[in-house]
Amino acid sequence: MGGTFDPIHHAHLLIAEEIRRRFELPRVIFMPSGKPPHKTDAEITSAEDRYVMVQLATADNQHFYVSRMEIEREGPSYTIDTIRTLRSRMGEGAEVYFVTGADAILEILTWHEPDAIIEEARVVAVPRPGFDLRELKETLGPRRASKVTVIDAPPADISSTNIRERVAIGTSIRYLVPPPVIDYIRKRGLYRSDNGSGSRGPTC
Ligand code: NAP
């Protein structure tokens, strides 16, 4: 389960559980990006804060694990490096699924070794409600698109962007984000429009 997770929210958790059930996976590994290749440091919260939030959100599910692999690896977080490391650690025959947003997969041709990603992992794209599947097919072309599994959009259209915006203006994020993550955001003063000096932070 690859993502920036800035912050993790209930739709990510719903998707992970649905994918685990649907594909009968023994475990789901959440893989917060260390240095997303397409984002600057100024655009995202520190990797440590994002990692802790993912840990807090997933702690009550025995099938969910959180990896520091991309956080600790030097340089940009290329997905192909992660897939290859996971495959070599898990041994021959292990199948790796790479699950992320369909909007991200739409950009996959700009990533490092996109064809290797599609060949070496089963890529699962999660659309937002209203996502145009034709765009994905047109962008990837029929051969690559046929190898990408698209699952249904989660029932709630929750996004990290919207959560950050809500916190910045002091609007509640209750029911969008697990309570321990809300507490962490508040304590650390994350996403506040004044950078932590006086705004209300998330309300419950
Ligand atoms: P993003 O551009 O921040 O997100 C694009 C869309 O996908 C957003 O709507 C986002 O919603 C959604 N999304 C992200 N992760 C998701 C997940 N696990 N499940 C469902 N929806 C998800 O994309 P990103 O998070 O930075 O990157 C996504 C993945 O692609 C990461 O694993 C990243 O490392 C990888 N990536 C690799 C390369 C490369 O190898 N060169 C380049 C770019 C990205 P939310 O904001 O609500 O999550």
Side-chain angles (χ1 to χ4, degrees), residues 1-9 11-13 15-16 19 30-39 44 70 73 76-82 98-105 107-108 110-113 117 124-128 154 157-164:
M1 185 80 169
T4 308
F5 301 119
D6 193 13
I8 188 163
H9 50 66
H12 294 133
L13 298 168
I15 291 160
I19 281 174
F30 286 76
M31 185 70 65
S33 304
K35 293 182 190 62
H38 56 310
K39 292 179 184 169
I44 54 169
E70 289 195 357
R73 199 165 61 216
S77 299
Y78 292 130
T79 296
I80 189 60
D81 295 341
T82 303
F98 170 57
V99 182
T100 197
D103 292 332
I105 297 299
E107 307 288 321
I108 198 169
T110 68
W111 299 4
H112 196 53
E113 297 194 51
I117 295 173
V124 179
V126 186
R128 292 205 163 282
D157 188 14
I158 305 172
S159 80
S160 301
T161 305
N162 179 250
I163 288 162
R164 294 194 300 274

Side-chain angles (χ1 to χ4, degrees), residues 32-125:
S33 304
K35 293 182 190 62
H38 56 310
K39 292 179 184 169
T40 64
D41 285 352
E43 280 177 283
I44 54 169
T45 306
S46 80
E48 285 304 329
D49 280 331
R50 292 182 290 107
Y51 170 77
V52 172
M53 289 190 282
V54 176
Q55 272 202 319
L56 291 169
T58 55
D60 64 354
N61 189 321
Q62 59 170 331
H63 303 290
F64 288 176
Y65 295 78
V66 190
S67 173
R68 292 182 62 84
M69 188 187 298
E70 289 195 357
I71 292 174
E72 288 177 359
R73 199 165 61 216
E74 295 286 314
S77 299
Y78 292 130
T79 296
I80 189 60
D81 295 341
T82 303
I83 290 167
R84 286 181 176 149
T85 305
L86 285 172
R87 283 177 62 117
S88 73
R89 283 187 191 172
M90 290 162 66
E92 276 309 302
E95 204 178 358
V96 173
Y97 288 64
F98 170 57
V99 182
T100 197
D103 292 332
I105 297 299
L106 211 46
E107 307 288 321
I108 198 169
L109 298 184
T110 68
W111 299 4
H112 196 53
E113 297 194 51
D115 285 316
I117 295 173
I118 291 169
E119 290 302 325
E120 295 179 35
R122 180 148 172 199
V123 175
V124 179

